[in-house]
């Protein structure tokens, strides 16, 4: 290995990350994802510690339901461990088709298409729909996969202030003027997260729909953190607001659905287009059929157990109220994500580490995931947390933050 050349690519960046408290390491969890997990004490020689997990995107805690685990095990025995090819060659199997039908039905759309990850769904969809002569209007707090999809598309990107409809309208007017000056047709796509993953707030979908219709642009919404969480039965923002659907609905199967993969739901024409044009669908091996079968079974479980969604929503309400009673300025959350802004990166790390010592895991989220000086604890709740656990966590968070002040 040419270590000197490797250093020129990596050394400064790693040293800078360590100096600015933004260096990342992996945490070793030695038990299945659940409301409580066992975390190994790396290098300490101590046994793994039982920890209350307030950091998981498995919001409905479906990974540990026996009937769902047995269904996936049966699917492995029937379909094997891999797909063997891309969907357009030899990889397309019955579970893939059944999953897409299930997603379309759950989302109330004509059709759906699956990708291996939510990241690939966003990157593939945006780069397929848009090209260098198009405009994409992106909320400033959108997920990295949306940002990367826009970059890959080579479209002109207009970033608008977070959830600021007036600023979005300004950006569209500016883009239309640019297109007119260049004597080229105007085509535009508004793209936004449904639930913003570091803040937990919701996109203003009714207003976004209004703007899209008035300005003759498409609306794409990423429901990664909304599916199974938002709306009376967990079907997302359209259900929550009682409004029409977006033109393009993206989502993931790896969070509340507790499987793997991403999806796009919409019209049959849209899905047919993506099947033919989305490179992250065309040029990759299909997800394992057993994973597709598991995702389908889990989605059906959510559909037949709306009480699971209600329990999650009740837990979020209780936790936010408990934090407020403890003197922390936390706003009610419409999702499963509750941010507790600490500010300084080093201070956020200290709070998180002290909570870990008390058997509570809530990660410190730092730059570049959030802006500098906006480091926070990102609590994410499960339907299976108890109110006693949530109250204990709220009290501990308050005590530790106040002790560090």
């Amino acid at each position: 290995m040419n270590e000197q050349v490797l250093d020129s690519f990596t050394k400064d960046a790693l040293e800078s990350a360590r100096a600015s408290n933004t260096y990342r390491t992996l945490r070793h969890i030695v038990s299945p994802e659940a409301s409580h997990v066992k975390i190994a004490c790396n290098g300490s020689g101590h046994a793994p510690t039982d920890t209350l997990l307030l950091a998981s995107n498995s919001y409905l805690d479906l990974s540990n339901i026996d009937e769902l685990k047995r269904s996936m095990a049966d699917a492995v025995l029937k379909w094997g461990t891999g797909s063997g090819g891309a969907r357009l060659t030899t990889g397309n199997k019955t579970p893939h088709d059944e999953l897409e039908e299930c997603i379309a039905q759950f989302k109330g759309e004509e059709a759906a298409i699956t990708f291996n990850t939510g990241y690939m769904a966003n990157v593939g969809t945006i780069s397929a729909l848009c090209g260098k002569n198009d405009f994409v209007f992106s909320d400033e707090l959108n997920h990295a996969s949306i940002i990367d999809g826009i970059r890959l598309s080579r479209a002109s990107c207009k970033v608008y202030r977070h959830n600021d409809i007036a600023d979005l309208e300004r950006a569209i007017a500016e883009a239309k003027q640019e297109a007119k000056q260049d004597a080229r047709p105007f085509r535009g796509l508004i793209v936004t997260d449904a639930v913003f993953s570091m803040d937990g707030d919701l996109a203003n979908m009714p207003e976004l729909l209004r703007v899209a219709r008035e300005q003759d642009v498409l609306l794409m919404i990423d429901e990664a953190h909304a599916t199974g969480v938002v709306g009376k039965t967990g079907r997302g923002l359209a259900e929550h607001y009682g409004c029409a659907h977006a033109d393009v609905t993206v989502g993931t199967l790896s969070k509340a659905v507790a499987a793997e993969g991403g999806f796009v739901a919409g019209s049959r024409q849209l899905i047919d287009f993506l099947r033919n044009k989305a490179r992250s669908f065309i040029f990759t091996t299909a997800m394992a059929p057993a994973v597709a079968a598991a995702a389908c079974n889990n989605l059906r479980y959510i559909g037949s157990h709306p009480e699971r969604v209600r329990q999650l929503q009740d837990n979020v309400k209780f936790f936010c109220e408990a934090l407020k009673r403890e003197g922390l300025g936390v706003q009610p959350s419409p999702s499963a994500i509750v941010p507790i802004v600490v500010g300084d990166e080093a201070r956020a790390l200290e709070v998180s580490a002290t909570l870990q010592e008390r058997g509570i895991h809530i990660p410190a989220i730092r730059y570049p995931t959030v802006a500098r000086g906006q480091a926070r604890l990102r609590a994410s709740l499960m339907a299976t947390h108890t109110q006693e656990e949530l109250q204990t966590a709220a009290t501990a968070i308050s005590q530790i933050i106040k002790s560090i002040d």
Side-chain angles (χ1 to χ4, degrees):
M1 181 193 299
N2 191 329
E3 294 184 4
Q4 186 174 357
V5 175
L6 180 62
D7 281 352
S8 73
F9 280 90
T10 63
K11 186 177 180 181
D12 288 348
L14 288 171
E15 289 179 350
S16 176
R18 292 187 180 97
S20 62
N21 295 299
T22 58
Y23 182 73
R24 267 74 171 167
T25 59
L26 295 175
R27 188 170 283 101
H28 187 190
I29 298 175
V30 297
S31 63
E33 194 85 347
S35 59
H36 281 256
V37 295
K38 293 187 181 299
I39 298 180
C41 302
N42 293 337
S44 69
H46 298 300
T49 57
D50 183 77
T51 303
L52 175 64
L53 185 63
L54 289 169
S56 177
N57 293 332
S58 183
Y59 301 122
L60 299 178
D61 199 10
L62 301 188
S63 293
N64 292 294
I65 296 177
D66 286 342
E67 67 178 271
L68 298 180
K69 290 193 289 185
R70 283 194 295 268
S71 293
M72 185 173 185
D74 290 343
V76 171
L77 294 175
K78 180 176 181 179
W79 293 100
T81 59
S83 64
R87 292 281 300 281
L88 293 174
T89 56
T90 61
N92 192 52
K93 305 294 192 296
T94 301
H96 299 114
D97 293 338
E98 291 178 345
L99 172 58
E100 289 170 346
E101 292 174 7
C102 186
I103 291 168
Q105 182 179 29
F106 186 83
K107 285 294 187 180
E109 299 282 6
E110 288 182 358
I113 185 172
T114 53
F115 294 76
N116 286 31
T117 66
Y119 193 104
M120 292 172 72
N122 272 330
V123 168
T125 299
I126 296 171
S127 61
L129 284 171
C130 299
K132 63 181 180 179
N133 292 322
D134 299 320
F135 294 90
V136 180
F137 307 97
S138 177
D139 189 290
E140 66 178 336
L141 297 187
N142 276 342
H143 189 265
S145 58
I146 292 174
I147 296 168
D148 290 352
I150 296 170
R151 289 171 176 165
L152 189 61
S153 76
R154 298 184 297 159
S156 177
C157 181
K158 303 288 186 181
V159 177
Y160 62 91
R161 290 191 295 269
H162 176 52
N163 254 344
D164 189 329
I165 300 300
D167 197 48
L168 169 61
E169 291 175 314
R170 175 206 58 76
I172 294 174
E174 180 181 282
K176 286 186 171 182
Q177 185 61 31
E178 288 182 20
K180 184 178 180 181
Q181 290 173 350
D182 295 341
R184 58 188 169 101
F186 169 79
R187 288 202 319 181
L189 171 72
I190 301 169
V191 59
T192 180
D193 282 340
V195 174
F196 293 89
S197 58
M198 293 302 121
D199 292 86
D201 58 334
L202 306 183
N204 188 343
M205 191 165 173
E207 279 294 281
L208 291 169
L209 285 165
R210 176 187 65 78
V211 173
R213 301 302 176 257
E214 289 179 358
Q215 301 295 335
D216 288 325
V217 298
L218 292 177
L219 174 61
M220 172 176 161
I221 192 159
D222 179 2
E223 298 212 306
H225 294 275
T227 301
V229 175
V230 176
K232 187 176 180 180
T233 63
R235 282 170 167 78
L237 256 63
E239 181 181 57
H240 173 79
Y241 286 115
C243 64
H245 292 198
D247 301 292
V248 185
T249 298
V250 180
T252 183
L253 303 165
S254 63
K255 295 181 172 59
V257 183
E260 290 181 11
F263 66 83
V264 177
S267 68
R268 295 190 191 282
Q269 181 171 320
L270 170 69
I271 302 310
D272 190 34
F273 171 83
L274 292 176
R275 195 178 294 117
N276 282 273
K277 293 295 183 181
R279 292 171 66 86
S280 59
F281 172 83
I282 297 169
F283 298 106
T284 192
T285 298
M287 71 172 75
V291 172
C296 188
N297 288 330
N298 291 8
L299 261 182
R300 287 171 177 155
Y301 185 93
I302 296 171
S304 60
H305 291 82
E307 72 280 358
R308 197 91 172 183
V309 178
R310 289 195 299 271
Q311 183 59 49
L312 172 63
Q313 295 168 350
D314 289 345
N315 278 350
V316 174
K317 181 180 179 181
F318 177 87
F319 186 57
C320 291
E321 291 172 349
L323 289 168
K324 190 173 182 179
R325 287 193 299 269
E326 294 291 341
L328 297 176
V330 172
Q331 299 298 315
S333 174
S335 67
I337 299 163
V338 181
I340 304 155
V341 177
V342 177
D344 178 73
E345 279 77 14
R347 185 165 172 260
L349 285 170
E350 184 178 357
V351 175
S352 180
T354 307
L355 281 168
Q356 185 71 57
E357 292 171 1
R358 295 197 188 185
I360 301 168
H361 177 51
I362 307 177
I365 305 298
R366 299 153 286 151
Y367 178 84
T369 308
V370 295
R372 289 193 187 277
Q374 290 292 309
R376 65 199 58 191
L377 302 179
R378 179 191 182 271
S380 50
L381 274 58
M382 287 181 167
T384 50
H385 286 130
T386 68
Q387 290 190 356
E388 181 181 4
E389 290 169 342
L390 296 175
Q391 181 61 61
T392 298
T395 301
I397 294 165
S398 176
Q399 289 174 348
I400 293 167
I401 289 177
K402 291 174 182 177
S403 69
I404 293 173
D405 284 341

